[in-house]
Amino acid sequence: QKEVEQNSGPLSVPEGAIASLNCTYSDRVSQSFFWYRQYSGKSPELIMSIYSNGDKEDGRFTAQLNKASQYVSLLIRDSQPSDSATYLCAGRESRDDKIIFGKGTRLHILP
Amino acid sequence: ETGVTQSPTHLIKTRGQQVTLRCSSQSGHNTVSWYQQALGQGPQFIFQYYREEENGRGNFPPRFSGLQFPNYSSELNVNALELDDSALYLCASTLGLAGGRTYEQYFGPGTRLTVT
């Protein structure tokens, strides 16, 4: 199993709906998880960080962490066309503290 | 804007040449990480510097090397460039804690390197 895995998509969601992005991780990845948004040709932008089990909300974004099942998810409510981007899930490797990224999920919000 | 800057923005080099990429970290951040991102892939960790010392390295050959300076800015050097080195090179800065433990990373705009 790769350390951080994401479905590459594309995931198409109608405008105004909820977009749900998922990520699973291996035993090598520890307690800290991050979601980044990356527009084409740009660098990743940090959206959310989550360190403990449960939900964390910030505006239209909710990150969810389930350590027992080893998955992290990002929900985007009231999706807007400007949310169309690649979303990168990342986690901290337990052994040497480096941050490992998944390949990203491409999200398309349909007007 | 994250406050992390990188130079140059774009670079074209020939196979076999050497390149130096530069990064200035966000004010107050003492840890810098470098990533390579190929098209359609997630960023791949190259190495990390905490207070001028390398404290983590990914699966990259020794021709990838780096430095961190007392002001926490950093350089990535790549020798003997290969075609596969063509990628977006990203620098990220973090406030590192004792022992090198880091938290949220903030990326610079990246350097697009093309090797021909």
Side-chain angles (χ1 to χ4, degrees), chain A residues 58 66 70 79 88 92 99:
Chain A
D58 184 1
N66 184 323
Q70 293 183 279
S79 297
L88 297 163
R92 186 173 307 284
I99 293 182

Side-chain angles (χ1 to χ4, degrees), chain A residues 81-109:
Chain A
S82 60
D83 294 326
S84 297
T86 295
Y87 288 80
L88 297 163
C89 173
R92 186 173 307 284
E93 194 176 67
S94 313
R95 182 184 58 190
D96 58 12
D97 223 32
K98 66 187 184 190
I99 293 182
I100 306 297
F101 284 81
K103 290 187 175 183
T105 298
R106 285 181 296 138
L107 175 66
H108 291 309
I109 305 301

Side-chain angles (χ1 to χ4, degrees), chain A residues 12-87:
Chain A
S12 296
V13 174
E15 184 177 355
I18 296 176
S20 178
L21 302 156
N22 299 308
C23 167
T24 58
Y25 60 91
S26 72
D27 292 339
R28 290 180 62 184
V29 180
S30 71
Q31 315 298 316
S32 308
F33 298 91
F34 310 92
W35 282 100
Y36 287 83
R37 177 176 63 198
Q38 187 173 27
Y39 292 114
S40 181
K42 301 294 186 183
S43 63
E45 172 193 5
L46 182 65
I47 300 175
M48 297 279 290
S49 57
I50 186 164
Y51 303 107
S52 54
N53 250 350
D55 295 1
K56 179 181 177 183
E57 187 174 318
D58 184 1
R60 295 188 296 115
F61 299 99
T62 299
Q64 299 174 317
L65 174 58
N66 184 323
K67 292 180 184 176
S69 301
Q70 293 183 279
Y71 81 77
V72 192
S73 62
L74 179 70
L75 302 178
I76 306 175
R77 289 180 299 281
D78 188 24
S79 297
Q80 303 296 310
S82 60
D83 294 326
S84 297
T86 295
Y87 288 80

Side-chain angles (χ1 to χ4, degrees), chain B residues 1-5 23-32 68 71-73 91-95 104-108:
Chain B
E1 293 294 327
T2 63
V4 181
T5 62
C23 170
S24 290
S25 59
Q26 184 174 337
S27 177
H29 284 186
N30 55 15
T31 302
V32 171
Q68 187 180 31
N71 66 355
Y72 303 134
S73 65
C91 162
S93 81
T94 319
L95 176 60
E104 296 174 347
Q105 287 189 337
Y106 297 91
F107 283 91

Side-chain angles (χ1 to χ4, degrees), chain B:
Chain B
E1 293 294 327
T2 63
V4 181
T5 62
Q6 291 186 246
S7 63
T9 306
H10 295 89
L11 202 52
I12 299 175
K13 288 287 190 176
T14 303
R15 190 171 47 184
Q17 286 188 314
Q18 178 266 342
V19 68
T20 297
L21 310 182
R22 294 179 175 83
C23 170
S24 290
S25 59
Q26 184 174 337
S27 177
H29 284 186
N30 55 15
T31 302
V32 171
S33 304
W34 285 93
Y35 293 84
Q36 180 195 69
Q37 187 176 27
L39 207 58
Q41 302 294 316
Q44 296 294 309
F45 178 80
I46 303 175
F47 43 57
Q48 177 173 287
Y49 281 85
Y50 169 67
R51 292 184 175 178
E52 303 177 58
E53 301 260 340
E54 184 182 298
N55 79 332
R57 189 177 180 93
N59 296 324
F60 281 81
R63 61 189 184 85
F64 285 78
S65 63
L67 281 174
Q68 187 180 31
F69 301 99
N71 66 355
Y72 303 134
S73 65
S74 178
E75 284 183 356
L76 164 65
N77 298 290
V78 187
N79 293 323
L81 284 167
E82 301 177 0
L83 297 179
D84 284 349
D85 295 334
S86 295
L88 180 67
Y89 287 84
L90 296 162
C91 162
S93 81
T94 319
L95 176 60
L97 305 180
R101 188 157 292 276
T102 59
Y103 292 94
E104 296 174 347
Q105 287 189 337
Y106 297 91
F107 283 91
T111 294
R112 173 75 59 190
L113 173 65
T114 301
V115 182
T116 62

